[in-house]
Amino acid sequence: MVTPAAPVLVLNGPNLNLLGLREPAIYGTDTLDTIERLCHDTGKGLGLRVECRQSNHEGVLIDAVQEARTAHRGIVINPAGYSHTSVALRDALAAVGLPVVEVHLSNIHRREEFRHHSYVSGVADAVICGAGAHGYALALTHLARLIAVD
Ligand code: DQA
């Protein structure tokens, strides 16, 4: 049972620890640290406590999603490369039954064809892509709404 005061989880997948250095023309110049600060600040304004995690490992992301079932009220996730490959991550999100908002910094639909499909989108309540770092603020704002009507 998740307590009403439980935090929300912002989960970032592989290579997002390299933000700032990584293909800035696509992903922007904000670092993961800056994005996580934006998430904490946005959460504060919404009355949500935010916890942020990042991993380059599929199993670690799945463990984080499973742990969120009893520890968090909802999930904002940028599954990064695993969006396009991971049935297991999708299954974990479906299993925990929490509100989920998927975020991508870039507009994956304007990029290579292999990025157009995300396994996660089919189990997400909403998907935000192409808004850069601001997408995380939008995602948290929508998550707060989903939690409020839950
Ligand atoms: C991404 C888009 C993915 O296709 C890519 O593999 C990423 C980042 C984004 O935020 O735009 O690592 O999720």
Side-chain angles (χ1 to χ4, degrees), residues 14 16 22 27 78 80-81 84 104-106 108 111 115:
L16 296 174
R22 180 190 178 201
Y27 298 116
N78 183 345
H84 319 300
H104 299 280
L105 293 152
S106 64
I108 56 174
R111 300 183 62 196
R115 296 186 201 274

Side-chain angles (χ1 to χ4, degrees), residues 96-112:
V96 299
L98 290 170
V100 173
V101 182
E102 178 183 359
V103 182
H104 299 280
L105 293 152
S106 64
N107 180 353
I108 56 174
H109 302 289
R110 221 161 62 173
R111 300 183 62 196
E112 304 96 319

Side-chain angles (χ1 to χ4, degrees), residues 40-51:
H40 288 295
D41 290 349
T42 304
K44 229 172 258 167
L46 294 163
L48 289 180
R49 208 146 53 80
V50 173
E51 277 177 17

Side-chain angles (χ1 to χ4, degrees), residues 19-97:
L19 286 175
L21 302 170
R22 180 190 178 201
E23 300 182 271
I26 296 173
Y27 298 116
T29 51
D30 285 326
T31 63
L32 183 60
D33 200 50
T34 306
I35 288 175
E36 290 184 345
R37 262 187 283 124
L38 167 76
C39 290
H40 288 295
D41 290 349
T42 304
K44 229 172 258 167
L46 294 163
L48 289 180
R49 208 146 53 80
V50 173
E51 277 177 17
C52 297
R53 290 181 67 178
Q54 185 275 333
S55 178
N56 293 325
H57 305 280
E58 188 174 13
V60 174
L61 294 167
I62 290 168
D63 286 343
V65 169
Q66 290 189 12
E67 285 161 20
R69 190 174 64 82
T70 51
H72 295 92
R73 284 195 283 170
I75 301 174
V76 168
I77 184 166
N78 183 345
Y82 289 134
S83 316
H84 319 300
T85 63
S86 182
V87 173
L89 184 57
R90 175 199 171 110
D91 286 349
L93 289 163
V96 299

